[in-house]
Amino acid sequence: MSLPLPSAHAVRDLRAAIAAWRADGLTIGFVPTMGALHAGHIALVDQALARCDRVVASVFVNPAQFAPGEDFDAYPRTLDADAAKLAGAGCHLLYAPSAREMYPDGFATTISLSGPAEGLESAARPHFFSGVATVVAKLLNQVRPDAAVFGEKDYQQYLVIRRLAADLDLPVAIEAGPTVREADGLALSSRNVYLSPEDRRRAARLNVILADFARALAAGRLADEAEADALEAARASFDGVDYMTARCADTLAPLGPGAVDRPARVLGAVRLGSTRLIDNRAVSPAG
Ligand code: AMP
């Protein structure tokens, strides 16, 4: 298979490419993904390019973050198209390791997390963040970038990775990139392809509900009342609601029931048929 940009499939080849750049004194940015790339991923590549001389993007559908019965087998895999998009964006290297390269026989280490990893996504997907953290720690050690960019779309994941890098003294700046949305406000996601046309229309409600929720809190509404309204709206719009809540923006700790007096984030996870959507919005308290 020939891809339209340099690519590495083994750690050894990745390290050789990176060593050559380091020998020239170049800085390196990194964008980890699971592929099926869309404009949200490419915006993260743009952000890394703005800050670093060379950018590596990885495409790896990480089996360790899927539970049995989740969509690991069905997850869209579009490596040729991904490579074309990365080449078009000016990305310098695609790293697409096999599962065997990442998890060779005898692999026996998993990162265990608390703090921002607790609750929210973990309630529905208890093994998700340890799978994410383990693969991201490996990828960061393999690439050893100066900066790595993660999407605010997965806000809890971004905080988990930021915590991981700080706690394990990883010498990398963890940056967040803003969420890229469709014209109707739906956050771009590789999983949106699962939605039927009817569900795709309903999906746009998630951003509307979160934006209303964030606006109410910013205007000084009591957090427990605003949350009850958002929850009711989400229950009326979707087939299921895993959570719809406001949290402290830095730690994801619960807020009190009163008006919000510090930076906060509203976060929601809902189900449309068998598809699960997540999204979030910043809340800036009135001054
Ligand atoms: P994924 O391939 O879905 O695991 O995502 C790879 C990276 O892209 C993660 O840091 C995501 O948060 C980020 N990402 C996914 N969707 C978006 C989006 N709509 N806007 C910005 N970043 C995104």
Side-chain angles (χ1 to χ4, degrees), residues 4 13 30 32 42 48 96 110 215 220 225 232-233:
D13 299 337
F30 178 45
I42 298 305
T110 302
R215 214 173 300 117
E225 288 180 15
E232 191 184 314

Side-chain angles (χ1 to χ4, degrees), residues 17 29 177 208:
V208 173

Side-chain angles (χ1 to χ4, degrees), residues 110-135:
T110 302
I111 292 179
S112 122
L113 307 149
S114 55
E118 290 172 320
L120 304 176
E121 286 302 288
S122 291
R125 309 180 73 192
H127 308 295
F128 175 67
F129 283 126
S130 67
V132 169
T134 303
V135 83

